[in-house]
Amino acid sequence: MNDASTPGLPGTRPLVTIQSHILQQQARYPEATGDFSWILSAISISAKMISAQVRRARLEDVLGHVGSQNVQGETQQKLDVIANDILMRNLAGRQGVAVVASEENEQPVILHDQNDGETRYCVMFDPLDGSSNLDIAGGVGTIFSILRKDRRSTNIADSLLQPGTRQVAAGYVLYGSSTVMALTIGNGVDLFVLDPSIGAFIRVGESLRIPPKQKCYSLNEGNRLTLPEGYQRYLHWAQDSGYSSRYVGAMVADVHRILIQGGVFLYPPTKKAPKGKLRLMYEANPMAMLVEQAGGKALVAPGERILDVKPTEVHQRTTVVLGSADEVDQVMSHL
Ligand code: P6P
């Protein structure tokens, strides 16, 4: 639903910034301390700072490689490191954050480890997903996931290893032709667009719903011949059924298209990535929460939700099939 008009005031669109939206949501929880809201605002500020860097990348010659590699053995782009630092510094300023984990850091970073009984949160993120698209001015994004610290965990870092069903919030920021944030705190998915002229994210949609059907699939066709047979059968069926194919190569951009238009995104096991390529904790889980909150499906295999996977380590990878409910069912029926 778009914020088209305010009842009784024809033709006016309520101007709701993400800050107002966060406070509106907080007001629904009288016992809220505000810690959670402060974390969301830290992410919003980080998104604005990262967007500014991405938009000026070539101008400030921050493109190209720092020469180092991240835990995935992937060459780190300068902007990966800058985006990571921005998120770390903004979250470090929030008392409510106990620990953060990032694709760019091998070990979780403990920020506030007091066992003072306060509700503390764990924040996980991929600071600049799809960063290899930077050199071609393609879509890149930030993906984030928020969990409550698991009080039963003696080791604070173990607090991160909770299934996706335990997420209290998830979202992404797409730095594309515009800077768009999709956010869920468990009451549906809301959409915000950054107005660079005022430096604010404006709400442009509430309670998004993914169309149940859309004849469009999204995967790296270059892997087709090494995919498990069931996926090859699905692709043959889809091409025989008049499906179109769209693939940006940045998960945030591909999933955003699905959130808005429907379709199905797949990253199956491949010869190069036999367990799948995408990371469970800070790519698949947040995207799965968003897609399910918008009425779609997000599975690892027939009957196995991504959100139910019990993690064993922070950087583990997983198969991903997510999008329109009927389209995901179609894929599963071929496996
Ligand atoms: P491939 C980007 O590197 C990423 O992690 C996701 O954003 C994207 O969906 C996927 O990998 C692309 O992988 O193998 O198709 O280039």
PDB file of all heavy atoms in Angstrom, residues 203-240:
ATOM      1  N   ARG A 203       9.073   7.714   3.818  1.00  0.00           N
ATOM      2  CA  ARG A 203       8.296   6.473   3.621  1.00  0.00           C
ATOM      3  C   ARG A 203       7.450   6.596   2.357  1.00  0.00           C
ATOM      4  O   ARG A 203       6.700   7.548   2.186  1.00  0.00           O
ATOM      5  CB  ARG A 203       7.397   6.213   4.838  1.00  0.00           C
ATOM      6  CG  ARG A 203       6.786   4.811   4.827  1.00  0.00           C
ATOM      7  CD  ARG A 203       6.002   4.549   6.100  1.00  0.00           C
ATOM      8  NE  ARG A 203       4.788   5.359   6.165  1.00  0.00           N
ATOM      9  CZ  ARG A 203       4.091   5.544   7.286  1.00  0.00           C
ATOM     10  NH1 ARG A 203       4.507   5.029   8.427  1.00  0.00           N
ATOM     11  NH2 ARG A 203       2.982   6.270   7.271  1.00  0.00           N
ATOM     12  N   VAL A 204       7.603   5.600   1.480  1.00  0.00           N
ATOM     13  CA  VAL A 204       6.852   5.621   0.211  1.00  0.00           C
ATOM     14  C   VAL A 204       5.947   4.413   0.067  1.00  0.00           C
ATOM     15  O   VAL A 204       5.176   4.306  -0.884  1.00  0.00           O
ATOM     16  CB  VAL A 204       7.806   5.673  -1.010  1.00  0.00           C
ATOM     17  CG1 VAL A 204       8.620   6.952  -1.006  1.00  0.00           C
ATOM     18  CG2 VAL A 204       8.731   4.453  -1.043  1.00  0.00           C
ATOM     19  N   GLY A 205       6.020   3.494   1.021  1.00  0.00           N
ATOM     20  CA  GLY A 205       5.144   2.317   0.919  1.00  0.00           C
ATOM     21  C   GLY A 205       5.082   1.596   2.254  1.00  0.00           C
ATOM     22  O   GLY A 205       6.062   1.542   2.983  1.00  0.00           O
ATOM     23  N   GLU A 206       3.917   1.058   2.569  1.00  0.00           N
ATOM     24  CA  GLU A 206       3.729   0.295   3.814  1.00  0.00           C
ATOM     25  C   GLU A 206       3.154  -1.076   3.490  1.00  0.00           C
ATOM     26  O   GLU A 206       2.416  -1.232   2.512  1.00  0.00           O
ATOM     27  CB  GLU A 206       2.722   1.024   4.733  1.00  0.00           C
ATOM     28  CG  GLU A 206       3.236   2.301   5.364  1.00  0.00           C
ATOM     29  CD  GLU A 206       2.170   2.904   6.284  1.00  0.00           C
ATOM     30  OE1 GLU A 206       1.331   3.649   5.762  1.00  0.00           O
ATOM     31  OE2 GLU A 206       2.189   2.605   7.484  1.00  0.00           O
ATOM     32  N   SER A 207       3.532  -2.049   4.326  1.00  0.00           N
ATOM     33  CA  SER A 207       2.942  -3.394   4.222  1.00  0.00           C
ATOM     34  C   SER A 207       2.984  -3.918   2.788  1.00  0.00           C
ATOM     35  O   SER A 207       1.950  -4.265   2.202  1.00  0.00           O
ATOM     36  CB  SER A 207       1.484  -3.358   4.722  1.00  0.00           C
ATOM     37  OG  SER A 207       1.446  -2.821   6.021  1.00  0.00           O
ATOM     38  N   LEU A 208       4.175  -3.914   2.214  1.00  0.00           N
ATOM     39  CA  LEU A 208       4.334  -4.388   0.834  1.00  0.00           C
ATOM     40  C   LEU A 208       3.906  -5.852   0.713  1.00  0.00           C
ATOM     41  O   LEU A 208       4.094  -6.631   1.651  1.00  0.00           O
ATOM     42  CB  LEU A 208       5.795  -4.256   0.390  1.00  0.00           C
ATOM     43  CG  LEU A 208       6.177  -2.934  -0.287  1.00  0.00           C
ATOM     44  CD1 LEU A 208       6.052  -1.774   0.685  1.00  0.00           C
ATOM     45  CD2 LEU A 208       7.598  -2.981  -0.833  1.00  0.00           C
ATOM     46  N   ARG A 209       3.336  -6.217  -0.423  1.00  0.00           N
ATOM     47  CA  ARG A 209       2.963  -7.616  -0.684  1.00  0.00           C
ATOM     48  C   ARG A 209       3.584  -8.053  -2.004  1.00  0.00           C
ATOM     49  O   ARG A 209       3.442  -7.363  -3.023  1.00  0.00           O
ATOM     50  CB  ARG A 209       1.430  -7.781  -0.777  1.00  0.00           C
ATOM     51  CG  ARG A 209       0.658  -7.282   0.414  1.00  0.00           C
ATOM     52  CD  ARG A 209       1.051  -7.915   1.712  1.00  0.00           C
ATOM     53  NE  ARG A 209       0.684  -9.330   1.858  1.00  0.00           N
ATOM     54  CZ  ARG A 209       1.120 -10.089   2.854  1.00  0.00           C
ATOM     55  NH1 ARG A 209       1.981  -9.600   3.728  1.00  0.00           N
ATOM     56  NH2 ARG A 209       0.748 -11.347   2.957  1.00  0.00           N
ATOM     57  N   ILE A 210       4.300  -9.160  -1.981  1.00  0.00           N
ATOM     58  CA  ILE A 210       4.892  -9.696  -3.219  1.00  0.00           C
ATOM     59  C   ILE A 210       3.788 -10.388  -4.020  1.00  0.00           C
ATOM     60  O   ILE A 210       3.070 -11.231  -3.479  1.00  0.00           O
ATOM     61  CB  ILE A 210       5.994 -10.739  -2.898  1.00  0.00           C
ATOM     62  CG1 ILE A 210       7.128 -10.102  -2.103  1.00  0.00           C
ATOM     63  CG2 ILE A 210       6.529 -11.364  -4.177  1.00  0.00           C
ATOM     64  CD1 ILE A 210       8.250 -11.062  -1.739  1.00  0.00           C
ATOM     65  N   PRO A 211       3.633 -10.032  -5.306  1.00  0.00           N
ATOM     66  CA  PRO A 211       2.633 -10.733  -6.131  1.00  0.00           C
ATOM     67  C   PRO A 211       2.898 -12.249  -6.091  1.00  0.00           C
ATOM     68  O   PRO A 211       4.065 -12.669  -6.149  1.00  0.00           O
ATOM     69  CB  PRO A 211       2.881 -10.183  -7.539  1.00  0.00           C
ATOM     70  CG  PRO A 211       3.615  -8.890  -7.349  1.00  0.00           C
ATOM     71  CD  PRO A 211       4.401  -9.036  -6.083  1.00  0.00           C
ATOM     72  N   PRO A 212       1.869 -13.074  -5.941  1.00  0.00           N
ATOM     73  CA  PRO A 212       2.081 -14.528  -5.805  1.00  0.00           C
ATOM     74  C   PRO A 212       2.669 -15.174  -7.059  1.00  0.00           C
ATOM     75  O   PRO A 212       3.339 -16.206  -6.974  1.00  0.00           O
ATOM     76  CB  PRO A 212       0.681 -15.065  -5.507  1.00  0.00           C
ATOM     77  CG  PRO A 212      -0.275 -14.014  -5.959  1.00  0.00           C
ATOM     78  CD  PRO A 212       0.445 -12.714  -5.855  1.00  0.00           C
ATOM     79  N   LYS A 213       2.410 -14.540  -8.201  1.00  0.00           N
ATOM     80  CA  LYS A 213       2.938 -15.105  -9.457  1.00  0.00           C
ATOM     81  C   LYS A 213       3.686 -14.012 -10.234  1.00  0.00           C
ATOM     82  O   LYS A 213       3.310 -12.857 -10.224  1.00  0.00           O
ATOM     83  CB  LYS A 213       1.778 -15.602 -10.341  1.00  0.00           C
ATOM     84  CG  LYS A 213       1.035 -16.822  -9.856  1.00  0.00           C
ATOM     85  CD  LYS A 213      -0.025 -17.241 -10.892  1.00  0.00           C
ATOM     86  CE  LYS A 213      -0.930 -18.386 -10.420  1.00  0.00           C
ATOM     87  NZ  LYS A 213      -0.194 -19.568  -9.949  1.00  0.00           N
ATOM     88  N   GLN A 214       4.736 -14.394 -10.916  1.00  0.00           N
ATOM     89  CA  GLN A 214       5.437 -13.492 -11.858  1.00  0.00           C
ATOM     90  C   GLN A 214       6.392 -14.363 -12.647  1.00  0.00           C
ATOM     91  O   GLN A 214       7.240 -15.043 -12.051  1.00  0.00           O
ATOM     92  CB  GLN A 214       6.198 -12.411 -11.114  1.00  0.00           C
ATOM     93  CG  GLN A 214       7.045 -11.502 -12.010  1.00  0.00           C
ATOM     94  CD  GLN A 214       6.199 -10.595 -12.928  1.00  0.00           C
ATOM     95  OE1 GLN A 214       5.014 -10.746 -13.061  1.00  0.00           O
ATOM     96  NE2 GLN A 214       6.840  -9.642 -13.548  1.00  0.00           N
ATOM     97  N   LYS A 215       6.234 -14.423 -13.976  1.00  0.00           N
ATOM     98  CA  LYS A 215       7.023 -15.347 -14.789  1.00  0.00           C
ATOM     99  C   LYS A 215       8.425 -14.781 -15.046  1.00  0.00           C
ATOM    100  O   LYS A 215       8.783 -14.406 -16.176  1.00  0.00           O
ATOM    101  CB  LYS A 215       6.284 -15.632 -16.107  1.00  0.00           C
ATOM    102  CG  LYS A 215       4.980 -16.395 -15.881  1.00  0.00           C
ATOM    103  CD  LYS A 215       4.154 -16.593 -17.133  1.00  0.00           C
ATOM    104  CE  LYS A 215       4.709 -17.684 -18.018  1.00  0.00           C
ATOM    105  NZ  LYS A 215       3.763 -18.041 -19.118  1.00  0.00           N
ATOM    106  N   CYS A 216       9.191 -14.704 -13.960  1.00  0.00           N
ATOM    107  CA  CYS A 216      10.552 -14.171 -14.072  1.00  0.00           C
ATOM    108  C   CYS A 216      11.426 -14.889 -13.041  1.00  0.00           C
ATOM    109  O   CYS A 216      11.073 -14.943 -11.864  1.00  0.00           O
ATOM    110  CB  CYS A 216      10.561 -12.656 -13.797  1.00  0.00           C
ATOM    111  SG  CYS A 216      12.203 -11.918 -13.927  1.00  0.00           S
ATOM    112  N   TYR A 217      12.541 -15.454 -13.482  1.00  0.00           N
ATOM    113  CA  TYR A 217      13.473 -16.079 -12.525  1.00  0.00           C
ATOM    114  C   TYR A 217      14.799 -15.329 -12.572  1.00  0.00           C
ATOM    115  O   TYR A 217      15.108 -14.651 -13.573  1.00  0.00           O
ATOM    116  CB  TYR A 217      13.671 -17.572 -12.848  1.00  0.00           C
ATOM    117  CG  TYR A 217      14.382 -17.864 -14.153  1.00  0.00           C
ATOM    118  CD1 TYR A 217      15.770 -17.841 -14.245  1.00  0.00           C
ATOM    119  CD2 TYR A 217      13.667 -18.156 -15.308  1.00  0.00           C
ATOM    120  CE1 TYR A 217      16.427 -18.087 -15.449  1.00  0.00           C
ATOM    121  CE2 TYR A 217      14.313 -18.417 -16.507  1.00  0.00           C
ATOM    122  CZ  TYR A 217      15.702 -18.376 -16.569  1.00  0.00           C
ATOM    123  OH  TYR A 217      16.342 -18.625 -17.774  1.00  0.00           O
ATOM    124  N   SER A 218      15.543 -15.451 -11.476  1.00  0.00           N
ATOM    125  CA  SER A 218      16.782 -14.673 -11.329  1.00  0.00           C
ATOM    126  C   SER A 218      17.858 -15.576 -10.756  1.00  0.00           C
ATOM    127  O   SER A 218      17.753 -16.015  -9.603  1.00  0.00           O
ATOM    128  CB  SER A 218      16.525 -13.491 -10.380  1.00  0.00           C
ATOM    129  OG  SER A 218      17.694 -12.713 -10.202  1.00  0.00           O
ATOM    130  N   LEU A 219      18.843 -15.963 -11.614  1.00  0.00           N
ATOM    131  CA  LEU A 219      20.002 -16.720 -11.106  1.00  0.00           C
ATOM    132  C   LEU A 219      21.113 -16.553 -12.125  1.00  0.00           C
ATOM    133  O   LEU A 219      20.900 -16.053 -13.229  1.00  0.00           O
ATOM    134  CB  LEU A 219      19.666 -18.189 -10.885  1.00  0.00           C
ATOM    135  CG  LEU A 219      19.961 -19.205 -12.017  1.00  0.00           C
ATOM    136  CD1 LEU A 219      19.942 -20.603 -11.480  1.00  0.00           C
ATOM    137  CD2 LEU A 219      19.030 -19.069 -13.192  1.00  0.00           C
ATOM    138  N   ASN A 220      22.311 -16.951 -11.713  1.00  0.00           N
ATOM    139  CA  ASN A 220      23.471 -16.820 -12.603  1.00  0.00           C
ATOM    140  C   ASN A 220      23.471 -18.002 -13.568  1.00  0.00           C
ATOM    141  O   ASN A 220      23.839 -19.124 -13.224  1.00  0.00           O
ATOM    142  CB  ASN A 220      24.775 -16.832 -11.777  1.00  0.00           C
ATOM    143  CG  ASN A 220      25.999 -16.640 -12.661  1.00  0.00           C
ATOM    144  OD1 ASN A 220      25.950 -16.909 -13.857  1.00  0.00           O
ATOM    145  ND2 ASN A 220      27.083 -16.171 -12.068  1.00  0.00           N
ATOM    146  N   GLU A 221      23.011 -17.754 -14.786  1.00  0.00           N
ATOM    147  CA  GLU A 221      22.875 -18.823 -15.797  1.00  0.00           C
ATOM    148  C   GLU A 221      24.221 -19.476 -16.108  1.00  0.00           C
ATOM    149  O   GLU A 221      24.274 -20.584 -16.621  1.00  0.00           O
ATOM    150  CB  GLU A 221      22.303 -18.240 -17.107  1.00  0.00           C
ATOM    151  CG  GLU A 221      20.974 -17.540 -16.961  1.00  0.00           C
ATOM    152  CD  GLU A 221      19.785 -18.447 -17.287  1.00  0.00           C
ATOM    153  OE1 GLU A 221      19.998 -19.638 -17.573  1.00  0.00           O
ATOM    154  OE2 GLU A 221      18.649 -17.951 -17.230  1.00  0.00           O
ATOM    155  N   GLY A 222      25.313 -18.781 -15.784  1.00  0.00           N
ATOM    156  CA  GLY A 222      26.639 -19.348 -16.058  1.00  0.00           C
ATOM    157  C   GLY A 222      26.882 -20.631 -15.276  1.00  0.00           C
ATOM    158  O   GLY A 222      27.730 -21.441 -15.628  1.00  0.00           O
ATOM    159  N   ASN A 223      26.107 -20.808 -14.179  1.00  0.00           N
ATOM    160  CA  ASN A 223      26.269 -22.016 -13.359  1.00  0.00           C
ATOM    161  C   ASN A 223      25.366 -23.168 -13.812  1.00  0.00           C
ATOM    162  O   ASN A 223      25.402 -24.255 -13.223  1.00  0.00           O
ATOM    163  CB  ASN A 223      25.935 -21.684 -11.892  1.00  0.00           C
ATOM    164  CG  ASN A 223      26.897 -20.672 -11.299  1.00  0.00           C
ATOM    165  OD1 ASN A 223      28.097 -20.719 -11.586  1.00  0.00           O
ATOM    166  ND2 ASN A 223      26.386 -19.752 -10.497  1.00  0.00           N
ATOM    167  N   ARG A 224      24.548 -22.917 -14.859  1.00  0.00           N
ATOM    168  CA  ARG A 224      23.472 -23.865 -15.160  1.00  0.00           C
ATOM    169  C   ARG A 224      23.965 -25.320 -15.241  1.00  0.00           C
ATOM    170  O   ARG A 224      23.387 -26.213 -14.631  1.00  0.00           O
ATOM    171  CB  ARG A 224      22.759 -23.502 -16.470  1.00  0.00           C
ATOM    172  CG  ARG A 224      21.526 -24.383 -16.757  1.00  0.00           C
ATOM    173  CD  ARG A 224      20.662 -23.811 -17.853  1.00  0.00           C
ATOM    174  NE  ARG A 224      21.395 -23.712 -19.122  1.00  0.00           N
ATOM    175  CZ  ARG A 224      21.522 -24.763 -19.969  1.00  0.00           C
ATOM    176  NH1 ARG A 224      20.990 -25.920 -19.659  1.00  0.00           N
ATOM    177  NH2 ARG A 224      22.189 -24.622 -21.086  1.00  0.00           N
ATOM    178  N   LEU A 225      25.029 -25.573 -15.960  1.00  0.00           N
ATOM    179  CA  LEU A 225      25.427 -26.961 -16.233  1.00  0.00           C
ATOM    180  C   LEU A 225      25.977 -27.652 -14.980  1.00  0.00           C
ATOM    181  O   LEU A 225      26.117 -28.877 -14.961  1.00  0.00           O
ATOM    182  CB  LEU A 225      26.456 -27.004 -17.375  1.00  0.00           C
ATOM    183  CG  LEU A 225      25.921 -26.535 -18.735  1.00  0.00           C
ATOM    184  CD1 LEU A 225      27.004 -26.627 -19.810  1.00  0.00           C
ATOM    185  CD2 LEU A 225      24.679 -27.348 -19.138  1.00  0.00           C
ATOM    186  N   THR A 226      26.304 -26.861 -13.926  1.00  0.00           N
ATOM    187  CA  THR A 226      26.830 -27.523 -12.711  1.00  0.00           C
ATOM    188  C   THR A 226      25.764 -27.556 -11.607  1.00  0.00           C
ATOM    189  O   THR A 226      26.042 -27.962 -10.488  1.00  0.00           O
ATOM    190  CB  THR A 226      28.067 -26.773 -12.159  1.00  0.00           C
ATOM    191  OG1 THR A 226      27.620 -25.523 -11.577  1.00  0.00           O
ATOM    192  CG2 THR A 226      29.097 -26.502 -13.233  1.00  0.00           C
ATOM    193  N   LEU A 227      24.553 -27.119 -11.922  1.00  0.00           N
ATOM    194  CA  LEU A 227      23.485 -27.134 -10.913  1.00  0.00           C
ATOM    195  C   LEU A 227      22.976 -28.559 -10.714  1.00  0.00           C
ATOM    196  O   LEU A 227      22.999 -29.375 -11.643  1.00  0.00           O
ATOM    197  CB  LEU A 227      22.305 -26.238 -11.360  1.00  0.00           C
ATOM    198  CG  LEU A 227      22.567 -24.742 -11.508  1.00  0.00           C
ATOM    199  CD1 LEU A 227      21.282 -24.053 -11.987  1.00  0.00           C
ATOM    200  CD2 LEU A 227      23.063 -24.135 -10.210  1.00  0.00           C
ATOM    201  N   PRO A 228      22.499 -28.884  -9.496  1.00  0.00           N
ATOM    202  CA  PRO A 228      21.817 -30.171  -9.304  1.00  0.00           C
ATOM    203  C   PRO A 228      20.694 -30.318 -10.338  1.00  0.00           C
ATOM    204  O   PRO A 228      20.082 -29.329 -10.765  1.00  0.00           O
ATOM    205  CB  PRO A 228      21.270 -30.061  -7.876  1.00  0.00           C
ATOM    206  CG  PRO A 228      22.164 -29.065  -7.194  1.00  0.00           C
ATOM    207  CD  PRO A 228      22.542 -28.091  -8.267  1.00  0.00           C
ATOM    208  N   GLU A 229      20.434 -31.560 -10.716  1.00  0.00           N
ATOM    209  CA  GLU A 229      19.531 -31.866 -11.828  1.00  0.00           C
ATOM    210  C   GLU A 229      18.161 -31.189 -11.699  1.00  0.00           C
ATOM    211  O   GLU A 229      17.628 -30.642 -12.662  1.00  0.00           O
ATOM    212  CB  GLU A 229      19.350 -33.390 -11.898  1.00  0.00           C
ATOM    213  CG  GLU A 229      19.013 -33.918 -13.289  1.00  0.00           C
ATOM    214  CD  GLU A 229      18.914 -35.440 -13.240  1.00  0.00           C
ATOM    215  OE1 GLU A 229      19.955 -36.064 -12.925  1.00  0.00           O
ATOM    216  OE2 GLU A 229      17.797 -35.957 -13.471  1.00  0.00           O
ATOM    217  N   GLY A 230      17.611 -31.182 -10.485  1.00  0.00           N
ATOM    218  CA  GLY A 230      16.263 -30.620 -10.289  1.00  0.00           C
ATOM    219  C   GLY A 230      16.192 -29.167 -10.731  1.00  0.00           C
ATOM    220  O   GLY A 230      15.220 -28.724 -11.343  1.00  0.00           O
ATOM    221  N   TYR A 231      17.270 -28.401 -10.427  1.00  0.00           N
ATOM    222  CA  TYR A 231      17.285 -26.985 -10.835  1.00  0.00           C
ATOM    223  C   TYR A 231      17.376 -26.872 -12.356  1.00  0.00           C
ATOM    224  O   TYR A 231      16.761 -25.982 -12.958  1.00  0.00           O
ATOM    225  CB  TYR A 231      18.464 -26.263 -10.183  1.00  0.00           C
ATOM    226  CG  TYR A 231      18.313 -26.075  -8.689  1.00  0.00           C
ATOM    227  CD1 TYR A 231      18.957 -26.917  -7.793  1.00  0.00           C
ATOM    228  CD2 TYR A 231      17.495 -25.073  -8.184  1.00  0.00           C
ATOM    229  CE1 TYR A 231      18.811 -26.759  -6.422  1.00  0.00           C
ATOM    230  CE2 TYR A 231      17.339 -24.897  -6.807  1.00  0.00           C
ATOM    231  CZ  TYR A 231      18.003 -25.751  -5.946  1.00  0.00           C
ATOM    232  OH  TYR A 231      17.855 -25.589  -4.586  1.00  0.00           O
ATOM    233  N   GLN A 232      18.143 -27.778 -12.973  1.00  0.00           N
ATOM    234  CA  GLN A 232      18.231 -27.745 -14.446  1.00  0.00           C
ATOM    235  C   GLN A 232      16.869 -28.073 -15.064  1.00  0.00           C
ATOM    236  O   GLN A 232      16.446 -27.451 -16.033  1.00  0.00           O
ATOM    237  CB  GLN A 232      19.304 -28.741 -14.929  1.00  0.00           C
ATOM    238  CG  GLN A 232      20.718 -28.370 -14.463  1.00  0.00           C
ATOM    239  CD  GLN A 232      21.803 -29.101 -15.234  1.00  0.00           C
ATOM    240  OE1 GLN A 232      21.680 -29.311 -16.448  1.00  0.00           O
ATOM    241  NE2 GLN A 232      22.867 -29.481 -14.543  1.00  0.00           N
ATOM    242  N   ARG A 233      16.145 -29.003 -14.429  1.00  0.00           N
ATOM    243  CA  ARG A 233      14.789 -29.320 -14.917  1.00  0.00           C
ATOM    244  C   ARG A 233      13.887 -28.091 -14.783  1.00  0.00           C
ATOM    245  O   ARG A 233      13.118 -27.750 -15.677  1.00  0.00           O
ATOM    246  CB  ARG A 233      14.198 -30.488 -14.108  1.00  0.00           C
ATOM    247  CG  ARG A 233      14.571 -31.878 -14.607  1.00  0.00           C
ATOM    248  CD  ARG A 233      13.599 -32.939 -14.083  1.00  0.00           C
ATOM    249  NE  ARG A 233      13.558 -32.947 -12.610  1.00  0.00           N
ATOM    250  CZ  ARG A 233      14.416 -33.638 -11.857  1.00  0.00           C
ATOM    251  NH1 ARG A 233      15.378 -34.354 -12.447  1.00  0.00           N
ATOM    252  NH2 ARG A 233      14.339 -33.628 -10.531  1.00  0.00           N
ATOM    253  N   TYR A 234      14.032 -27.385 -13.637  1.00  0.00           N
ATOM    254  CA  TYR A 234      13.196 -26.189 -13.452  1.00  0.00           C
ATOM    255  C   TYR A 234      13.491 -25.160 -14.538  1.00  0.00           C
ATOM    256  O   TYR A 234      12.580 -24.589 -15.151  1.00  0.00           O
ATOM    257  CB  TYR A 234      13.423 -25.564 -12.067  1.00  0.00           C
ATOM    258  CG  TYR A 234      12.841 -24.156 -11.990  1.00  0.00           C
ATOM    259  CD1 TYR A 234      11.457 -23.954 -11.909  1.00  0.00           C
ATOM    260  CD2 TYR A 234      13.662 -23.028 -12.110  1.00  0.00           C
ATOM    261  CE1 TYR A 234      10.907 -22.682 -11.906  1.00  0.00           C
ATOM    262  CE2 TYR A 234      13.120 -21.749 -12.117  1.00  0.00           C
ATOM    263  CZ  TYR A 234      11.750 -21.579 -12.016  1.00  0.00           C
ATOM    264  OH  TYR A 234      11.208 -20.312 -12.029  1.00  0.00           O
ATOM    265  N   LEU A 235      14.783 -24.910 -14.808  1.00  0.00           N
ATOM    266  CA  LEU A 235      15.137 -23.887 -15.808  1.00  0.00           C
ATOM    267  C   LEU A 235      14.587 -24.268 -17.181  1.00  0.00           C
ATOM    268  O   LEU A 235      14.061 -23.423 -17.920  1.00  0.00           O
ATOM    269  CB  LEU A 235      16.661 -23.705 -15.867  1.00  0.00           C
ATOM    270  CG  LEU A 235      17.279 -22.994 -14.662  1.00  0.00           C
ATOM    271  CD1 LEU A 235      18.795 -22.948 -14.796  1.00  0.00           C
ATOM    272  CD2 LEU A 235      16.715 -21.577 -14.503  1.00  0.00           C
ATOM    273  N   HIS A 236      14.676 -25.533 -17.529  1.00  0.00           N
ATOM    274  CA  HIS A 236      14.145 -26.003 -18.810  1.00  0.00           C
ATOM    275  C   HIS A 236      12.637 -25.738 -18.865  1.00  0.00           C
ATOM    276  O   HIS A 236      12.118 -25.182 -19.839  1.00  0.00           O
ATOM    277  CB  HIS A 236      14.426 -27.505 -18.978  1.00  0.00           C
ATOM    278  CG  HIS A 236      14.003 -28.033 -20.323  1.00  0.00           C
ATOM    279  ND1 HIS A 236      14.765 -27.852 -21.464  1.00  0.00           N
ATOM    280  CD2 HIS A 236      12.863 -28.672 -20.716  1.00  0.00           C
ATOM    281  CE1 HIS A 236      14.138 -28.377 -22.502  1.00  0.00           C
ATOM    282  NE2 HIS A 236      12.961 -28.891 -22.080  1.00  0.00           N
ATOM    283  N   TRP A 237      11.959 -26.060 -17.741  1.00  0.00           N
ATOM    284  CA  TRP A 237      10.493 -25.852 -17.694  1.00  0.00           C
ATOM    285  C   TRP A 237      10.171 -24.365 -17.821  1.00  0.00           C
ATOM    286  O   TRP A 237       9.299 -23.956 -18.584  1.00  0.00           O
ATOM    287  CB  TRP A 237       9.927 -26.402 -16.385  1.00  0.00           C
ATOM    288  CG  TRP A 237       8.496 -26.020 -16.176  1.00  0.00           C
ATOM    289  CD1 TRP A 237       7.392 -26.673 -16.662  1.00  0.00           C
ATOM    290  CD2 TRP A 237       8.012 -24.866 -15.473  1.00  0.00           C
ATOM    291  NE1 TRP A 237       6.248 -25.987 -16.293  1.00  0.00           N
ATOM    292  CE2 TRP A 237       6.607 -24.872 -15.554  1.00  0.00           C
ATOM    293  CE3 TRP A 237       8.643 -23.805 -14.766  1.00  0.00           C
ATOM    294  CZ2 TRP A 237       5.807 -23.877 -14.975  1.00  0.00           C
ATOM    295  CZ3 TRP A 237       7.851 -22.818 -14.194  1.00  0.00           C
ATOM    296  CH2 TRP A 237       6.462 -22.870 -14.293  1.00  0.00           C
ATOM    297  N   ALA A 238      10.929 -23.529 -17.084  1.00  0.00           N
ATOM    298  CA  ALA A 238      10.640 -22.081 -17.071  1.00  0.00           C
ATOM    299  C   ALA A 238      10.836 -21.482 -18.463  1.00  0.00           C
ATOM    300  O   ALA A 238       9.988 -20.732 -18.960  1.00  0.00           O
ATOM    301  CB  ALA A 238      11.549 -21.379 -16.056  1.00  0.00           C
ATOM    302  N   GLN A 239      11.959 -21.868 -19.113  1.00  0.00           N
ATOM    303  CA  GLN A 239      12.213 -21.313 -20.456  1.00  0.00           C
ATOM    304  C   GLN A 239      11.188 -21.824 -21.457  1.00  0.00           C
ATOM    305  O   GLN A 239      10.766 -21.127 -22.366  1.00  0.00           O
ATOM    306  CB  GLN A 239      13.648 -21.646 -20.894  1.00  0.00           C
ATOM    307  CG  GLN A 239      14.673 -20.824 -20.105  1.00  0.00           C
ATOM    308  CD  GLN A 239      16.060 -21.443 -20.067  1.00  0.00           C
ATOM    309  OE1 GLN A 239      16.314 -22.454 -20.736  1.00  0.00           O
ATOM    310  NE2 GLN A 239      16.950 -20.854 -19.273  1.00  0.00           N
ATOM    311  N   ASP A 240      10.711 -23.046 -21.207  1.00  0.00           N
ATOM    312  CA  ASP A 240       9.676 -23.633 -22.077  1.00  0.00           C
ATOM    313  C   ASP A 240       8.316 -22.978 -21.799  1.00  0.00           C
ATOM    314  O   ASP A 240       7.400 -23.071 -22.611  1.00  0.00           O
ATOM    315  CB  ASP A 240       9.597 -25.130 -21.763  1.00  0.00           C
ATOM    316  CG  ASP A 240       9.205 -25.935 -23.002  1.00  0.00           C
ATOM    317  OD1 ASP A 240       9.428 -25.427 -24.116  1.00  0.00           O
ATOM    318  OD2 ASP A 240       8.672 -27.033 -22.831  1.00  0.00           O
TER     319      ASP A 240
END
